Amino acid sequence: MSDEKMLLEYMEKHNEEFLDILKGAVNLESPTEGSKEDLKKCRDYFERTFSEIGFKCNVVPSDDSRYADHLLMELGEGDEQVLFVGHYDTVYEKRTFGDMWKQEGTKVWGPGAFDMKGGDVQVYMVAKALKELSLLPENKKIVFLLTSDEEAGSPTSHIHYKELAKKSKASFVMEPTFGDYSGLLTIGRYARGNYTFVAEGKSAHSGQEPEKAESGLKELAQQAVYLEGLTDLENGLTIACTCLNSGNAGWASVPGVGELTIDARFASADVAKKYNSLFQNLKSFNPEVKITTKGGIEKPPFDEKDPKNKALYESSRKIGKKFGMEMKGFVGRAGTDGNFTASVGCPTLDGMGMSGDFAHQPGKEYINTDDIAVRGAFVARMVLEVLRGE
């Protein structure tokens, strides 16, 4: 029997086990900056679950009071390893989702089921299948770093991903596919910059003498229109204003100060360098209002044209055909920890997790249960492809 057939039959046989484990994880709500105790309960759940099949688990401190600790899990021994990339934090505040778990037909809804606890449970099923089917090569290792701060931009965990990626033959990012198509993968991602522009002008009474004001609010409003107008989809640049804070509706005052925050995405390192320089040296429309910049580039670009990344994607297309899937790659503007693993030269393939839709949308986020088996078998076969050096 071929590896593909064995893996697919195993995943189909254990489909209910997958759902049971995922339900347990989803019911343990874990907002990024929520209760540390809630996050610990979720992390401990994953630690217990993976330990049961032989993973060695170690807690990695986040070194930041805002975020919970991370979990490093390893199966097997040896110098050659595959790195799985995942996170257990979600964007939802606790008890905002409605039904914690709902299953109808071929869909399951729940907070983080799609982004990305479904992908986390996939890693468990992949490792268990390879182990129980005696397919995991000797002297090879599966490494899984499960982090707590991805939804906040991975401020404490990205350094760990970089170090682990340097030691790995490939990185598989278990983020969802962002689509209902079972053969979808992410083969590149934009860099991300997060910038806050601080305006310092001069306030004045808004009725008696507004002409004496040097309005920070007006300055930032002009900057918002200007900055969003720089968006150039053809050349790989998007800019979106995410917050404007200036003044008080109850005061009879023109505000002199304020802050404007933007989210900028860059298709390449060259685009990032050009516009990062512009943002760091932003000129004010009103010379009497001073503009200073906080922030910068948070995630480097994940280049789909890198030969190592291209080769891994080509392997995925070959393996996908063995499962009857035509694998299709796309470049996403939303960054993941794959940006970090790719930045140190580790071949990276993203969007390896569940198919479904509506990430970060309470009450709508779902996964497709009829894709669980084939996606899991595909990922397991990709692990063999890399560790066997085929």
Side-chain angles (χ1 to χ4, degrees), residues 129-143:
L130 293 175
K131 185 177 180 181
E132 293 187 358
L133 295 173
S134 299
L135 291 174
L136 187 63
E138 292 185 7
N139 301 317
K140 304 293 174 71
K141 187 163 57 172
I142 292 174
V143 177

Side-chain angles (χ1 to χ4, degrees), residues 32 75 126 167 186 195 212 234 355:
T32 308
L75 180 69
V126 165
K167 305 173 186 176
T186 307
Y195 302 86
K212 292 184 179 181
E234 289 187 4
S355 71

